[in-house]
Amino acid sequence: MASVPDIQFDTWYTYDQLTAFLQACAEARPDLLKLDSLVASPEGRQVWLATLTDPTTGAPEDKPAYYVQANVHARELAGTSAALRLIHTLLTDEAVQARLRELTFYVVPRTNPDGAEYAVTLNGPIRSRSVIQEKTNGLVPQDLDGDGKIRMMRWEDPAGPYVQDPEDPRLLVSRLPDDEGPFFQQQTEGLIHDYDGRAISLAIKSFDFNRHYPASWSHTVDAAEYPLQHPEIHAIAEFLFEHNNIFAGIDYHCGTQALLRVSGKAGELPESDLELMLEISAVCERLTGLTPMASSDYRQPWRKPISLPGNSDEFGYSVLGIPWFTIELGNSYSSAGIAAKDYFAADSQTRERDFRRQVLRFVDENPDHPWDWKPWTEFDHPQLGRVEIGGTGSGNDIMPHPRHIADLSVKTTEFILQHSDWHPQIALSALETIQVSDGIYRIRGRVANVGIHSTNVMSTAAASRTHEPVCVALELPEGVQIVSRPATYEFDALGPRSFRPLEWFVAASASAQISVRASHPRAGKVQVPMTLD
Amino acid sequence: MNDVPAVDFQRFYLHQNITDFLQQCQVAASDLMALSSIGTSPEGREQWLATITEPSTGTADSKPAYYVQANVHAHEMYGTTAALHLIHTLLSSPEARDLLSRVTFYVVPRANPDGAEYALSTQGEVRSRVTVNEKINGVVPQDLNGDGMILNMRWEDPAGPFAVDPEDDRIMMPRRPGDSGPFYYQCTEGLIHDYDGGHLRLSVDNYDFNRNYPIGWKHGTDTAQYPFANPEMQAVGDFLFSHPNVFAGIDFHGGTPAILRPDSLADEEINESDLELILEIGKMGERLSGLRLMSSRDYRASWRKPVVLPGNSKDFAHFGLGISWYVIEVGWGYSTAGIGPDESFDALQETREREFMRRIMRFADEHADTDARIVFVPWEDYDHPQLGPVQIGGLTRAAVSHVYPPEMEQISDGTTSFILEHAAYHPQLMLSGCEAVRVAPNLYRVRGTVANIGFLATNIMSTGLKSRTHEPVTVNIVHDQGVEVLSRPRAFEFDALAGRGGAQPLEWFVSANPGCDIAVQASHPRGGSCSHKLDLA
Ligand SMILES: [Zn+2]
Ligand SMILES: [Zn+2]
C-alpha cells in the first residue's frame, strides 16, 4: 500500500512535483482524500482541490467545511508548502484525523499554477500573471544568457541611478549624494521591443489576482476589465459560492510576517464581527507568533491606511460572511531575522542597504538556502551592447527560507485545526412525544447550535447569497400527517450555544416511526428517530 | 431605393420578428450592413448585432463607432422598436450616408432576448431574468389556466389587502380606510412550493442586468453573484472592451420619459469639463427628441434620497470606458396615458393606485382599435389545487409598463435624430501642413501637424484617459525600403488630442534617395485614420 509522502522543505514545488505529491496522497488515503481539479489554467495546468473528510460519517458537502488556499501570488510558493503541511497532518496524525468525522477541509494548495511555474522555473518578474504588451522601448523579460533564470542586467553609466553597495559589492543599491561611482543602469534581463534609445520600461501588463474578487472591486486598481475575468479566480469564486458549508477560510501568502484580517478599525466594522476576528487572531498569535493586524495597517507607519479593493479578505468577510484571514508566512527578510515591526519602521536606506546585506549574510551562512545568486557576468546585448547579467531573480526577495516554513507551517496548521473546532454544530435535544388525543401526537424538542460560531458566522452572512436558514423537518412514514404549522421550521440563524423550541402535531397511529431532521450547510446534519407512543 | 423593411409600429417585436427584420435589412443593404451576434442567450437566442458603415471609406473597426443597445430590461421592448428605427434610417436615408462614411454604428436591438420573449409571450413579472428558487410557501409563476399568460390570482377574504375599484371594476386597488368590500388576496398566477397554508411569497430570483456591470457594482444590490455573471451582459462587456473605437452610446429603456445622464456621483464631484460636455450634448438631445434631460439621481419623487444604481450601464460607460453615453427612457404605460414626469414622480400613492390606473385604462379603451397591447384579461374562475377556488386574470404588466405601440413612431423619430447628431460629434483626425524639405544630400526633414477636428476629444471624457480601452494617437511614417527614420521618436504617440482643433507638431529626419515616396499616417481607434503622401524631391 502506498504511503503518504513526506513534504520536501529543501525546495519549492514545481507543478509536476505538486501533482505527484497530491496524487500520492490520494492513492495512499483514498478513504480520506479526494483529488479534483477546479479548472484548467490557460496554460493547461490543473488548479487542484483536495477534499478531506471521512465519508463514512457523511458526504463532504453535508459537513461544515474549512477552506484553505495558497499561492495566488505567483512567487509566494511557500504558501503551497504550508497548505501541503495541513493535508499531510490530516492524513498522518490520527488524533487530528478524528476531526474529519465532523468536518470537511477543502485545500487548494496552488491557486495559480501558471504563475507559480513561471516563478519557480524562470524566476521572472510576476505578480499573479504577466502578459506581454508590445510597446516602444518595452522590455520583454527573458533568459538571455541561457542559465534558465531571468535575472538583472546592469551597465555602467555616469548618470545611472544605481551604485554598488560599498560594503557588499554584490548588491546594487540606489545612489546617494556621497556615493562614488561607478554608477549603473539596471533592468530586468530581456530584449527590448522597438528600441529607439529612450527610457526603457517593462513591457508587461501585470495582473494581481488578489485584487480580482467581486468585493469593493475597483477598475482603477485591478488591471483586469472586470472581477473574476481570470479563469482561476473565477473557478475559486464559483466553488466558494456553491459550497455554502464553508464557514472559514485561510489564504496563504508570503510577505512581512502577519495574520491579516479584513480592513477596518473599531467603528467601521460591526462590533461583534471585529470581536470574533480578534478572538480568533489571539489564538493564532499564541500558536504561531504571527502578529494580527487589519490589512489596512499592513504598512509603514507614515503611510495612509492601505485599501486593497477586491482582495480575498474582503470577499471572504463581506460577500461570503465568514471569518477569513490571510497568513503572511514571511520573506527573505524575516528569514534573516528582521522582525515585522522593524521592517515597517525602517527607512528606505536601511531597507535597501542594511537589510539586504543581512539577507546576503544569512544566505552565505546557510548554503542550503535556495536563494540563487549569480555573479555579474559580461554579456553582449544585441540592443544595449555590453552589459552584465547576474544577481538574483526578482522572486527571491519574497521567499523565506524553506526550513523556516517547515517550522512555521506546523504552527499555522495547528491554528487552522484549532479554529476548525469552532464550527457551528447543530444538535437536537429534549425531544419528546405525547399522545394528546386519539390518533394525535404532539412532538416537542429543541434545535441548538452547540458550536462556538453562529450558523451565520459573521453578521455579513445574513445578506450573503450563500445564506441559508437552519431547517428542521419531520421525516414521516406513509399515513402520518402533520396537522400543525409550520410543517418545516426555518430559523434565519442560530447563535452560538443557543436553541429554539420546536413543536408539531401529527396525526398517526400508535407506534409509528418518525424522525426529526435538522440541518444547516455550515453546521452539519442530524437526524433523531422517535417512536410515537 | 432599396427594400429596407419598414418598422412595424403596430406591435412589439418577438425575437423571430427581429431576426426577420434584420435579415431583410441585410439582404436589402448588404453593402452597408453586416449581421452577426455578440452572444447566445441561455435559451439559445442570438443577441443580434447590426454593424452599419460605408465600406468604401474603411472597415467598421477603423472608424469611430457609435453603439446602441436596447431591451436590457425584459418589458422595455419598445426600445427595440427605436433601435430598429435607427437601423432603418441609417440604411434608407441619403443624409445618413455621409455620416456612415465617417462613423460605424453597432446596434444591438435586443440585448436580452430571453427576458423579452418571456415578457411578451407570458406578460409575466420579470426585470431582466427570473429563475425559480424553491422556498417554503413560495409561488412559482406559471400559466395555470392554459391561456399562455402568467397573470394574477385573486380570492375573496375579509382580511384581504385589495378591493375592486368602484369606478372601474378591472382595477384591483390596495384597500384604504372607507373602502367597502369585498376584499381580496392577490398573488401571481402559479403553484406554491411546499405549501403549508402560511404566508405566500414569490419563489423567484429576479435579476436586473442593469446592475450587473462592474463599475460601482455591489453585491446585495445585484442578485447576481458577480459582475457579468449573466452571459448576455458579459457579451455586451466583452464587445465594448474589444471595440475601443466606440466613442458614444445609447442604452434604450422604458420608464418616465427622459434622457438620463451619467450620475453615480453628485454633480460637484464629476469632472467639470466632463459635466459640461454631458450637459451640452444632453441639451441637444432634449431639443431633438423632446425628452427631458435628467440626472438619474433626480429620477425620483422629490422626497426620496438621490437614486444610486450600482453597476448600471451609465457608470460603466462613463467611468469604465470613458465615453459619451446616455440612457433614453422612451416612456411607459403612464406616459402613454398622458401622465408625464411632473405628475408622476411626486404623485401620492392613492393617486398612483387609483386615478392613474383609471387614466391608463381609459386611454386603452379609447385606442382599443389600434392598440395591440393586452392590458386586461377578464377574471376567470379556476380551481387551484392548493388554494381552492380562485380567479385568474386582471390587469396585465403591459398596462403600466408598455407604451401604446403607435406612439413609438414619433418617439423614434426624435431619438434617431438625437443619435445621428450625437454621432456626428465623433473625434476626427486630420493631418495638415505636411511637407518634406531636403536639408542635406539624401536627408529630409518632414514636418506637419496632427489635429483632431472633431467635436469630442480622442479620449472623449477625462475618464477615458484611464480606461482599459484608452489608446494614444499614433503618427508614423510609412516608407519604402531604403528609407530610414534617423530621429526619435520614430513614431509619435500622443496620449490624447482635444476636440475642435487639438493639435500637435510633428517632425522627423529621414534619410532617403530623392524620388522615394513616403506617407505620414495618423490613427486612433476613436478618431479614425488619415494619411498624407509626400514625394521626396
Ligand atoms: Zn501575496
Ligand atoms: Zn430599464
Side-chain angles (χ1 to χ4, degrees):
Chain A
M1 182 173 153
S3 61
V4 176
D6 287 336
I7 310 175
Q8 330 161 30
F9 279 107
D10 52 342
T11 177
W12 307 124
Y13 280 77
T14 64
Y15 175 72
D16 287 342
Q17 290 167 334
L18 172 69
T19 304
F21 179 91
L22 292 170
Q23 286 172 343
C25 288
E27 214 172 293
R29 295 307 302 263
D31 54 329
L32 295 179
L33 186 148
K34 196 161 134 331
L35 187 61
D36 297 290
S37 168
L38 288 179
V39 70
S41 70
E43 292 176 12
R45 297 183 183 89
Q46 306 305 323
V47 176
W48 293 121
L49 164 74
T51 303
L52 295 106
T53 198
D54 178 351
T56 63
T57 55
E61 56 277 8
D62 289 344
K63 299 175 188 173
Y66 206 100
Y67 175 79
V68 175
Q69 69 177 19
N71 211 174
V72 165
H73 289 141
R75 298 173 303 177
E76 300 171 17
L77 303 155
T80 297
S81 307
L84 296 185
R85 167 75 81 187
L86 172 65
I87 295 176
H88 187 267
T89 307
L90 283 166
L91 295 185
T92 54
D93 182 329
E94 274 183 32
V96 166
Q97 241 164 56
R99 286 182 174 84
L100 297 180
R101 298 181 58 78
E102 275 177 12
L103 282 173
T104 299
F105 286 83
Y106 296 117
V107 186
V108 180
R110 184 157 287 176
T111 308
N112 177 12
D114 289 353
E117 203 66 2
Y118 181 81
V120 83
T121 55
L122 285 163
N123 212 353
I126 184 171
R127 185 68 168 158
S128 290
R129 167 161 294 142
S130 291
V131 174
I132 302 295
Q133 228 181 5
E134 296 195 340
K135 55 178 183 181
T136 301
N137 300 316
L139 188 138
V140 181
Q142 53 206 290
D143 172 30
L144 296 179
D145 60 358
D147 69 345
K149 299 282 174 200
I150 297 170
R151 301 174 190 275
M152 300 305 287
M153 312 190 289
R154 71 176 194 185
W155 61 98
E156 267 192 59
D157 177 352
Y162 297 100
V163 68
Q164 285 173 321
D165 179 25
E167 290 185 30
D168 190 334
R170 292 176 295 180
L171 290 173
L172 215 50
V173 296
S174 300
R175 84 192 264 177
L176 293 173
D178 294 339
D179 285 335
E180 287 170 22
F183 299 103
F184 293 89
Q185 297 283 355
Q186 180 174 235
Q187 290 292 340
T188 300
E189 183 178 351
L191 294 176
I192 305 155
H193 182 79
D194 207 7
Y195 186 53
D196 70 6
R198 289 180 299 158
I200 297 166
S201 57
L202 267 186
I204 56 178
K205 185 165 191 171
S206 175
F207 294 94
D208 185 338
F209 290 179
N210 202 25
R211 304 292 177 274
H212 197 45
Y213 296 87
S216 310
W217 180 83
S218 161
H219 73 111
T220 54
V221 171
D222 188 356
E225 288 162 344
Y226 46 88
L228 308 186
Q229 196 175 17
H230 294 285
E232 296 90 339
I233 301 300
H234 188 263
I236 294 284
E238 290 279 12
F239 176 80
L240 292 169
F241 283 131
E242 278 164 23
H243 289 78
N244 53 7
N245 54 330
I246 292 170
F247 71 94
I250 292 292
D251 194 358
Y252 272 123
H253 283 254
C254 291
T256 301
Q257 290 184 329
L259 175 75
L260 299 179
R261 62 176 183 269
V262 69
S263 289
K265 49 181 189 286
E268 293 169 352
L269 295 173
E271 273 180 9
S272 60
D273 289 350
L274 185 55
E275 182 186 17
L276 193 53
M277 286 187 238
L278 293 175
E279 273 182 40
I280 301 165
S281 301
V283 174
C284 182
E285 187 175 22
R286 182 162 48 75
L287 293 170
T288 65
L290 296 170
T291 308
M293 348 182 168
S295 53
S296 38
D297 295 331
Y298 193 58
R299 58 185 161 102
Q300 288 142 291
W302 49 268
R303 281 193 198 273
K304 278 193 287 203
I306 39 179
S307 93
L308 307 169
N311 78 356
S312 70
D313 301 333
E314 196 68 46
F315 180 66
Y317 170 70
S318 311
V319 175
L320 303 176
I322 61 176
W324 178 289
F325 295 91
T326 291
I327 293 181
E328 298 281 357
L329 290 163
N331 51 21
S332 63
Y333 301 101
S334 61
S335 277
I338 299 156
K341 67 172 177 12
D342 297 332
Y343 188 79
F344 281 132
D347 60 23
S348 62
Q349 206 178 312
T350 311
R351 286 178 172 204
E352 206 183 356
R353 299 196 172 195
D354 300 358
F355 288 176
R356 288 173 72 208
R357 281 177 210 143
Q358 215 170 313
V359 168
L360 275 191
R361 215 175 306 131
F362 175 79
V363 172
D364 292 340
E365 290 159 5
N366 293 274
D368 62 333
H369 201 299
W371 186 290
D372 164 38
W373 182 274
K374 180 179 174 172
W376 294 101
T377 312
E378 292 211 336
F379 182 80
D380 240 343
H381 193 280
Q383 294 161 308
L384 299 168
R386 176 113 318 192
V387 301
E388 290 172 295
I389 294 178
T392 177
S394 65
N396 282 351
D397 260 17
I398 210 156
M399 290 179 193
H401 191 299
R403 189 178 65 233
H404 293 150
I405 295 308
D407 298 341
L408 182 55
S409 64
V410 173
K411 300 172 182 167
T412 57
T413 295
E414 182 56 27
F415 160 61
I416 290 170
L417 294 171
Q418 289 203 15
H419 182 210
S420 74
D421 292 338
W422 294 25
H423 65 87
Q425 188 176 357
I426 218 94
L428 286 167
S429 69
L431 291 174
E432 51 162 46
T433 76
I434 60 164
Q435 188 174 14
V436 290
S437 173
D438 210 22
I440 300 288
Y441 294 82
R442 188 187 70 196
I443 301 159
R444 281 185 170 173
R446 290 172 170 188
V447 59
N449 172 11
V450 296
I452 295 184
H453 280 315
S454 157
T455 57
N456 261 351
V457 201
M458 291 291 177
S459 72
T460 44
S464 169
R465 293 268 301 150
T466 57
H467 173 68
E468 302 241 359
V470 174
C471 278
V472 193
L474 294 183
E475 209 132 283
L476 304 171
E478 199 76 26
V480 178
Q481 285 216 325
I482 303 176
V483 295
S484 59
R485 271 200 306 243
T488 297
Y489 281 88
E490 286 188 333
F491 301 109
D492 205 41
L494 271 184
R497 308 172 193 102
S498 72
F499 74 89
R500 295 295 172 84
L502 307 166
E503 182 180 86
W504 292 269
F505 287 82
V506 299
S509 49
S511 309
Q513 295 289 316
I514 65 156
S515 65
V516 183
R517 191 163 37 101
S519 68
H520 183 270
R522 291 172 178 171
K525 283 189 174 171
V526 285
Q527 186 155 357
V528 178
M530 297 177 81
T531 305
L532 301 181
D533 54 17
Chain B
M1 195 56 211
N2 53 28
D3 303 319
V4 175
V7 179
D8 183 355
F9 291 109
Q10 298 315 306
R11 58 191 53 75
F12 297 126
Y13 282 73
L14 287 163
H15 183 69
Q16 186 57 48
N17 307 134
I18 301 175
T19 307
D20 293 344
F21 179 93
L22 293 172
Q23 285 171 346
Q24 286 165 24
C25 284
Q26 209 217 345
V27 171
S30 57
D31 52 332
L32 297 179
M33 182 179 132
L35 182 59
S36 58
S37 164
I38 60 167
T40 306
S41 71
E43 292 176 11
R45 298 185 181 89
E46 300 302 333
Q47 293 172 282
W48 292 122
L49 166 74
T51 302
I52 303 173
T53 197
E54 164 63 58
S56 67
T57 54
T59 57
D61 46 4
S62 71
K63 294 177 192 163
Y66 198 97
Y67 175 82
V68 175
Q69 70 179 14
N71 211 175
V72 163
H73 288 142
H75 272 283
E76 300 166 16
M77 65 287 278
Y78 27 96
T80 298
T81 307
L84 297 183
H85 180 274
L86 171 68
I87 293 175
H88 178 88
T89 308
L90 289 170
L91 298 182
S92 56
S93 133
E95 299 88 75
R97 196 82 183 202
D98 173 52
L99 186 59
L100 292 179
S101 67
R102 288 174 282 120
V103 176
T104 297
F105 283 83
Y106 297 119
V107 187
V108 178
R110 182 156 288 174
N112 176 15
D114 290 354
E117 208 71 357
Y118 180 84
L120 268 172
S121 54
T122 71
Q123 295 273 1
E125 178 67 33
V126 53
R127 187 67 166 154
S128 292
R129 164 176 296 135
V130 285
T131 57
V132 172
N133 60 23
E134 301 191 334
K135 284 188 203 158
I136 293 174
N137 296 326
V139 177
V140 179
Q142 56 205 290
D143 172 31
L144 294 180
N145 60 353
D147 63 359
M149 288 191 272
I150 299 171
L151 300 166
N152 319 285
M153 305 193 294
R154 71 175 189 186
W155 60 99
E156 261 191 70
D157 186 309
F162 289 95
V164 174
D165 182 359
E167 293 187 25
D168 185 337
D169 64 7
R170 295 170 295 185
I171 299 170
M172 298 294 290
M173 343 170 282
R175 82 192 265 176
R176 301 187 78 88
D179 282 350
S180 57
F183 297 103
Y184 293 87
Y185 274 111
Q186 188 171 234
C187 74
T188 299
E189 180 179 352
L191 294 178
I192 305 157
H193 182 77
D194 246 349
Y195 186 52
D196 69 3
H199 209 70
L200 296 180
R201 47 188 173 171
L202 260 188
S203 198
V204 296
D205 287 318
N206 200 346
Y207 292 83
D208 185 338
F209 290 179
N210 202 24
R211 304 292 175 274
N212 196 226
Y213 295 89
I215 303 297
W217 179 88
K218 258 178 90 171
H219 81 97
T221 300
D222 190 356
T223 308
Q225 282 172 324
Y226 47 90
F228 292 154
N230 301 109
E232 294 91 337
M233 288 298 100
Q234 179 165 3
V236 165
D238 284 342
F239 178 82
L240 289 169
F241 280 124
S242 60
H243 289 78
N245 55 331
V246 172
F247 71 93
I250 290 294
D251 188 6
F252 275 115
H253 284 257
T256 298
I259 295 173
L260 297 178
R261 56 186 173 87
D263 40 31
S264 75
L265 298 177
D267 283 355
E268 306 85 78
E269 292 169 72
I270 300 181
N271 173 291
E272 250 179 31
S273 60
D274 287 354
L275 184 59
E276 187 182 12
L277 200 54
I278 289 168
L279 292 173
E280 174 147 5
I281 295 172
K283 285 287 172 195
M284 177 269 285
E286 191 171 83
R287 186 164 44 75
L288 293 176
S289 69
L291 297 165
R292 182 184 303 180
L293 176 66
M294 296 183 76
S295 158
S296 64
R297 292 171 70 82
D298 303 327
Y299 194 62
R300 58 181 161 97
S302 54
W303 51 267
R304 282 190 197 275
K305 281 190 267 196
V307 177
V308 181
L309 309 170
N312 79 78
S313 75
K314 296 190 296 310
D315 286 345
F316 176 64
H318 181 76
F319 295 102
L321 303 173
I323 64 178
S324 177
W325 179 283
Y326 297 86
V327 160
I328 295 183
E329 303 276 357
V330 300
W332 57 343
Y334 293 94
S335 57
T336 275
I339 304 159
D342 291 324
E343 238 185 315
S344 65
F345 281 129
D346 271 344
L348 300 172
Q349 262 184 27
E350 184 175 6
T351 314
R352 280 183 280 144
E353 291 161 3
R354 305 193 168 196
E355 188 204 324
F356 285 2
M357 295 315 297
R358 290 173 196 153
R359 281 167 69 182
I360 284 172
M361 297 312 289
R362 210 176 308 136
F363 178 92
D365 292 342
E366 286 161 9
H367 295 77
D369 297 349
T370 49
D371 192 347
R373 298 177 303 165
I374 299 168
V375 294
F376 175 75
V377 175
W379 293 101
E380 178 186 291
D381 289 336
Y382 181 78
D383 207 6
H384 193 279
Q386 294 160 305
L387 298 170
V390 299
Q391 291 181 302
I392 294 178
L395 257 52
T396 68
R397 176 70 202 257
V400 292
S401 293
H402 296 185
V403 168
Y404 167 59
E407 200 188 349
M408 283 311 299
E409 183 160 9
Q410 186 217 336
I411 294 173
S412 306
D413 268 342
T415 57
T416 294
S417 315
F418 169 34
I419 290 171
L420 296 178
E421 184 65 19
H422 189 197
Y425 283 28
H426 65 89
Q428 188 177 357
L429 293 187
M430 175 172 266
L431 286 162
S432 72
C434 289
E435 51 158 33
V437 177
R438 195 166 72 102
V439 291
N442 298 336
L443 183 67
Y444 295 84
R445 190 188 67 199
V446 179
R447 281 185 169 171
T449 298
V450 59
N452 170 16
I453 58 163
F455 184 86
L456 293 165
T458 56
N459 56 301
I460 317 296
M461 296 289 169
S462 70
T463 46
L465 291 170
K466 288 190 209 112
S467 159
R468 294 285 177 283
T469 51
H470 173 64
E471 303 227 7
V473 174
T474 58
V475 194
N476 60 340
I477 288 192
V478 188
H479 51 72
D480 302 336
Q481 278 215 315
V483 177
E484 197 188 344
V485 177
L486 298 178
S487 56
R488 68 186 179 202
R490 287 191 291 255
F492 283 89
E493 287 192 351
F494 303 108
D495 208 34
L497 288 179
R500 291 181 274 181
Q504 289 285 348
L506 308 165
E507 182 181 87
W508 292 270
F509 285 84
V510 174
S511 96
N513 291 319
C516 282
D517 275 344
I518 64 166
V520 178
Q521 196 175 60
S523 70
H524 183 270
R526 293 170 180 174
S529 58
C530 55
S531 82
H532 188 105
K533 272 211 171 80
L534 292 167
D535 348 308
L536 304 179

